Structures are given as structure tokens and as C-alpha cells.
Amino acid sequence: MSGCEVRDAKKLVRSPSGLRMVPEHRSARSPFGLDEPPWVPDKECPRCMQCDTKFDFITRKHHCRRCGKCFCDKCCSKKVPLPRMCFVDPVRQCAECALISQKETEFYDKQLKVLMNGATFFVTLGTSEKSELMVCRLSNNQRYLVLDGDSHYEIEIIQISTVQILTEGFTPGGGNTRAIGMILQYKVPGSEELMQMKFTASEDFSCNKKLSASWLAAMHKATKLLYESRDQ
């Protein structure tokens, strides 16, 4: 088992927002994760931050676990899974955050598995004219992109700078496009130099093309979550 595949120990912690299953060491957290937001202090929110209803003994205030803002029960009634913050159970969220979390559920339920199962690509390193057929997959701990062929590479997800998805089939009037590859730029730890890899889907079998397209779509979504985590 390579270093990137070591399963990190986790611990159960209780926060004001609920129970969370988190890595024992912060360095082992998923690059797609989000930190819990600070809650808006009760004294600073006399009214619901959505509908402006005044809080009293009957109308109680609730904090959204994703944004930390203060709402009445009507505006913050949904309990939705929030895996990006490692919550064990669904947690209370405002309508806007609940919608975002529900969309992210597809990534954690489906696309994350696609990335971990992997797909086959021709990989070209830097400006080389030679490519190598490799199986590309996300490590079990979500922190590395693992490439296996005659060569072996492990790229830390947090070191990825840009991901450009390559497509074909675009027409000026609109139409379906298909992902056929990607260009990945990343930094090697200890160096500021940007490295580049180009991934091109194999054209040998139609099933490989479909699998590669699904993997690239999942990688595109993963990249968006990665950027969001960095911007937090």
C-alpha cells in the first residue's frame, strides 16, 4: 500500500452544530472539505436574516450550519446531509444552503466513486511528444491523484493549480459536447515550478470513451469544490 492510500485515523467530535467524524490530524482532511462557519452572535440578529421576522419567545432563532447566519424556523427548517463538513447526520440549513448541499450530494454519492474507480488515459508529461497509457484514479483518502502504468505518479490534490477540460463536438449554434481529455497543472512540493500533464481519452473502445468522459465530468466537479475550499 502506497503512502497516499494509508487510511487516516478519525475521531468523533461534538460541535454546537452536531456530531462530526473528522481526521485526527488537520493535515489529513479532504481537500474538498469546508470548515464550520462562525455563528452570527444572537445579540447581533434580532430578526430573521431572510424574511425579517422579529424573534421573540414564540419565534425562535436557528443558525444555518453551512453559512452560520440566523433564521426563523420557517426559513431554516430543512435538515440536509453536509459531508463537506464531516457531519454524521443531516443538519439544519437555510433554503439557499440546503439547495447547494443537495446538489453536492450527487458528487459524494456518485462522482466521488467514479473518481476512485479510475479511468484509462494516454498521459503526456510536460512538453514531451511521448504519451503513456495509464490508469488514473483518486486515492481512497481523496488527497492524491494516482497514475499507474509503466510509470507511477502521485499528485497531491492540494498542489493542483488549474484543470482545463478538453472537449469536442461544439458548434457555433450550440449542441452537445463530449469531454475527451484534460490539461492539469500542479506544483511539486518544495518547488514553485508548475508541472503540466495532458490526459487524452483512449479511442480503442467505446466503453472506455464513456468511462473516461464520466471520469472527466467528475473531475470537473471536484475541481469546482477544490476551488471553493481554497476560497473559504
Side-chain angles (χ1 to χ4, degrees), residues 73-122:
D73 182 70
K74 182 180 178 181
C75 295
C76 193
S77 61
K78 292 187 177 181
K79 289 191 175 182
V80 180
L82 187 48
R84 293 186 75 182
M85 291 184 190
C86 303
F87 284 110
V88 174
D89 301 308
V91 291
R92 188 184 291 269
Q93 298 177 56
C94 66
E96 182 178 352
C97 288
L99 183 60
I100 296 172
S101 294
Q102 286 170 341
K103 290 181 178 179
E104 291 174 352
T105 298
E106 181 182 0
F107 173 76
Y108 280 90
D109 287 348
K110 299 178 181 179
Q111 294 174 314
L112 198 57
K113 295 175 183 177
V114 170
L115 290 173
M116 289 180 176
N117 288 336
T120 303
F121 297 91
F122 284 106

Side-chain angles (χ1 to χ4, degrees), residues 115-135:
L115 290 173
M116 289 180 176
N117 288 336
T120 303
F121 297 91
F122 284 106
V123 179
T124 306
L125 182 62
T127 58
S128 174
E129 296 182 357
K130 294 182 180 180
S131 60
E132 180 179 340
L133 191 63
M134 309 187 81
V135 175

Side-chain angles (χ1 to χ4, degrees), residues 24-87:
E24 287 192 352
H25 302 287
R26 185 174 175 82
S27 61
R29 64 174 285 180
S30 166
F32 309 118
L34 294 173
D35 291 327
E36 281 190 81
W39 283 11
V40 174
D42 287 349
K43 61 182 180 181
E44 294 181 13
C45 52
R47 295 176 177 273
C48 174
M49 300 179 77
Q50 177 62 41
C51 70
D52 205 38
T53 296
K54 186 176 180 179
F55 295 122
D56 53 31
F57 290 109
I58 298 176
T59 306
R60 298 183 59 193
K61 61 185 65 174
H62 301 277
H63 286 86
C64 172
R65 272 48 174 174
R66 186 179 180 113
C67 68
K69 294 180 181 179
C70 206
F71 303 91
C72 66
D73 182 70
K74 182 180 178 181
C75 295
C76 193
S77 61
K78 292 187 177 181
K79 289 191 175 182
V80 180
L82 187 48
R84 293 186 75 182
M85 291 184 190
C86 303
F87 284 110

Side-chain angles (χ1 to χ4, degrees), residues 127-180:
T127 58
S128 174
E129 296 182 357
K130 294 182 180 180
S131 60
E132 180 179 340
L133 191 63
M134 309 187 81
V135 175
C136 308
R137 60 186 176 82
L138 186 68
S139 64
N140 291 331
N141 57 24
Q142 304 173 21
R143 302 209 316 272
Y144 294 84
L145 192 60
V146 182
L147 290 74
D148 279 311
D150 290 337
S151 306
H152 177 82
Y153 299 97
E154 295 179 3
I155 301 172
E156 277 193 273
I157 297 296
I158 60 172
Q159 298 295 338
I160 294 176
S161 299
T162 60
V163 175
Q164 178 187 353
I165 303 298
L166 306 176
T167 60
E168 69 175 8
F170 175 79
T171 58
N176 294 328
T177 60
R178 180 172 65 91
I180 59 172

Side-chain angles (χ1 to χ4, degrees), residues 13-20 36 39 87:
V13 298
R14 181 181 293 278
S15 74
S17 299
L19 287 175
R20 302 170 64 223
E36 281 190 81
W39 283 11
F87 284 110

